[in-house]
Amino acid sequence: MKEAFPLIRLRGRGGWLEGRDGVVVSFFIHRDHTEVAPAIWRAIETYRRAIPAGSLNWYTSADGDMVPLDSAGWEHNRQEVIDCLGGGGRTAELRESPSETGGYQVEYYGRLLNSPFHDAPATALAFTFPTEYLLRHGAEHLRALAFELSRELPFNFGYASFAIVSTQGSWASGDWTQLEALLSRYLGMDVYSVGRASSVIGTHGLGPHWLTFLGQPLLGRLGGTEALRRALPFPEASLIPIDGDRLLITLGEEPSAIDTKDGVIPPQYLALGRMLKPFMFEYTGDIDGIQHDVNRWRRRLCP
């Protein structure tokens, strides 16, 4: 690996690990979860086969308790994802640790587009990997795995990025002084809250990333594959069409933290950010007192 990734450990007031360095792979699907549930479950099974055995040990039960993820728990989560007869949304969370952020996690939020409880929902799915997985297997392996995870998903937008891996956006409970320093220095590092975004993202995007997945209607709004190909004439960028009028854009051989101390922002990130900027999601109002800064931060690579 050419990239020297920073070692990150964010701890909350009680000393619990709230965030750590790793890679997140997320997809936002502008469909009712009832339409995509079987494909969602197959993607989760693909992820489980790809990671070390025993990496997922716990899940969140319906009453919010952490429960050991044994064979009965796995079947419970399968039913939670694919049983669409009861109406309403669906949630599944599989974790490495019951109390702290681990490197391996799954978050799934199955939404109904006509839900009165969400402003602009989209069904969302996210997988995480510790940086050690990337270093052990290589970026090409991780890109191929992300591609396989996406294969059956009719996503509107998705991405894979170096990130502060956290549980349900718990990075916000960590040391803010350390977090702000990290965000200022590493422009390629993502912080995410998939559950919150799934309630409001609709058909918008979230900026340029190492792997950027585009589907309809967002791909059409950007002018389609040929318009993106003309906008990204960089040797580091590659565009791979995917069945179902979808596209994978790769902005480099491996994820990049984009360390500002190196003094150079890769131009392919800025070019894609320029195209995505008019179609990026923006928080409105004030959530946890930080959303104004989050909106500005999300546009850090969108000139």
Side-chain angles (χ1 to χ4, degrees), residues 139-152:
E140 184 57 37
H141 169 88
L142 191 54
R143 180 170 69 166
L145 177 55
F147 185 90
E148 181 62 20
L149 292 170
S150 77
R151 193 167 56 84
E152 295 187 67

Side-chain angles (χ1 to χ4, degrees), residues 93 104 118 137 160 167 173 290 295:
E93 181 190 12
Y104 298 100
H118 307 291
H137 296 282
T167 300
S173 301
I290 62 172
N295 287 330

Side-chain angles (χ1 to χ4, degrees), residues 112-277:
L112 296 176
L113 301 189
N114 64 355
S115 169
F117 305 107
H118 307 291
D119 294 333
T123 292
L125 180 63
F127 306 96
T128 68
F129 304 84
T131 302
E132 295 89 332
Y133 184 94
L134 171 63
L135 298 177
R136 183 180 305 117
H137 296 282
E140 184 57 37
H141 169 88
L142 191 54
R143 180 170 69 166
L145 177 55
F147 185 90
E148 181 62 20
L149 292 170
S150 77
R151 193 167 56 84
E152 295 187 67
L153 303 178
F155 52 79
N156 170 69
F157 180 78
Y159 68 91
S161 174
F162 179 71
I164 295 180
V165 170
S166 66
T167 300
Q168 296 184 343
S170 60
W171 51 266
S173 301
D175 182 339
W176 269 96
T177 301
Q178 183 183 359
L179 179 61
E180 289 177 348
L182 289 167
L183 293 179
S184 296
R185 177 172 174 178
Y186 298 106
L187 301 186
M189 182 183 67
D190 185 52
V191 291
Y192 62 94
S193 181
V194 179
R196 180 180 296 166
S198 70
S199 298
V200 292
I201 192 172
T203 58
H204 292 85
L206 290 174
H209 297 83
W210 170 53
L211 304 183
T212 304
F213 294 86
L214 299 171
Q216 297 300 340
L218 184 55
L219 178 58
R221 292 171 180 165
L222 292 167
T225 299
E226 291 309 312
L228 286 157
R229 200 179 301 279
R230 290 192 298 271
L232 296 167
F234 306 97
E236 300 87 355
S238 64
L239 285 72
I240 303 174
I242 307 174
D243 291 344
D245 204 11
R246 299 170 298 162
L247 180 69
L248 167 59
I249 301 174
T250 303
L251 296 181
E253 292 182 3
E254 60 192 44
S256 177
I258 309 182
D259 189 345
T260 57
K261 289 192 174 181
D262 294 337
V264 177
I265 299 176
Q268 65 271 24
Y269 280 80
L270 297 175
L272 181 57
R274 189 175 296 112
M275 292 195 73
L276 283 170
K277 186 176 183 179

Side-chain angles (χ1 to χ4, degrees), residues 274-286:
R274 189 175 296 112
M275 292 195 73
L276 283 170
K277 186 176 183 179
F279 308 102
M280 285 180 60
F281 168 75
E282 182 168 340
Y283 285 104
T284 57
D286 184 77

